Amino acid sequence: MFKKLIVLMFAVAMATGCNLSEDISECVVCNINVRFTYNSDNVDKLIDDVHDIRIYVFEKDSRRLVRIIDASQQDIVRGWIRVDDLPAGRYDLSAWASSGENLFGGGFMEVEMDDAATSSYRPLMDDDETLIDDFYIMIDHDLLPAEEIGDVASKEAGFNDLFHASVDGFELKKGESQTVDFDLIRNANVLNVSVTGHEHIATRAMAGSGDRTRAGEVNDLPFDLFVVGRNGRYRWDNSIDQNARLVRYRSPATVWGAELRYGIKTLRLDLARHSVDPILLHVTDSEQGWDLITPIDVIAALGQVKDGEGNYMYATQEQLDRAYEFPIEIVVTPIENTDELKVRLFINDWEIVDLVPEV
């Protein structure tokens, strides 16, 4: 879906590493074009959003990692990478990129998995012994105590955006210059959550609350708001590992008048996977850890949202990938003459029904 293979004529060899004095029939040249058009504007934003690209080359028959290609800044600016030292053969390519200057300095790891079921892994070595089935990109994380919700927590709440594209099995031939087109997918989403009426679900007064009219970070709330999902570990083709651990994502709360706001970054919302293994938004008691409202199924809630013309906005994986940010509003109000509370949920100002949690 995200690849196209174009065989070019020999004239392209003049712009490659093949020397014209050599026998051109022996030349093997691959030009890798990279774009990022899978965004809400449907335009190429590679230069704006992507600042580090690494491509892993696996030999098709042996399935071994045979090359790691690091794109230079010049490559990214011009939108293509020239590779003229691979031997003829069949290959799988796995491209990973970051919004930061260093793919592995912003919250991610490249690893070789020894046992996916037990999450036993080691750092990837730059050699040709790693098999494609053992290659993983995963979020850098800390283990959580058994009594807390989630298996691991992302080390960095504001980790860089992760991008991916892959090509499954193409053939480099002698005497031909070939071009592979990568159109990157962003493997990150931001849930911009606002909570009004939070004082009704608080079990104690917010320390130093008073009259807050300016934006400021809050660290002493009596409840926690966070997201958990199994989406922190990816195979070479961007599929989420079936044994992926439950990752907890969170961000500090910011107060804006009567609202609490959170910008929670999570890795990719996978429609197929997370329709059966949900991404959940939790609001829990900060001391006891129990849920104050029923956890919200993020994919199920997004599936209800329509635009002004009545069309579903997030019915496909492509729509989810292009959206990037999702505004989610939780409104809590007391029910008159009772001790109960009513919770309403809105996404893009669209009220979500049937999934409205109970207090």
Side-chain angles (χ1 to χ4, degrees), residues 209-284:
S209 57
D211 179 20
R212 297 187 182 222
T213 57
R214 294 181 300 173
E217 190 172 300
V218 181
N219 297 305
D220 54 357
L221 292 172
F223 59 87
D224 292 328
L225 189 149
F226 55 87
V227 170
V228 294
R230 300 185 192 276
N231 60 351
R233 197 158 83 192
Y234 296 87
R235 299 170 63 86
W236 78 275
D237 60 356
N238 207 34
S239 60
I240 299 173
D241 178 26
Q242 289 301 312
N243 296 290
R245 286 170 162 173
L246 190 64
V247 184
R248 186 173 71 189
Y249 305 95
R250 63 192 311 167
S251 79
T254 301
V255 62
W256 290 75
E259 291 183 19
L260 288 177
R261 295 184 180 180
Y262 303 78
I264 302 177
K265 181 176 282 191
T266 172
L267 288 179
R268 194 178 187 206
L269 302 179
D270 188 295
L271 183 61
R273 173 67 179 267
H274 298 132
S275 293
V276 295
D277 186 6
I279 300 282
L280 296 176
L281 192 159
H282 286 265
V283 180
T284 65

Side-chain angles (χ1 to χ4, degrees), residues 154-172:
S154 57
K155 277 187 180 292
E156 300 182 32
F159 52 84
N160 293 328
D161 290 345
L162 181 69
F163 300 81
H164 172 268
S166 60
V167 172
D168 182 1
F170 76 96
E171 187 173 2
L172 280 176

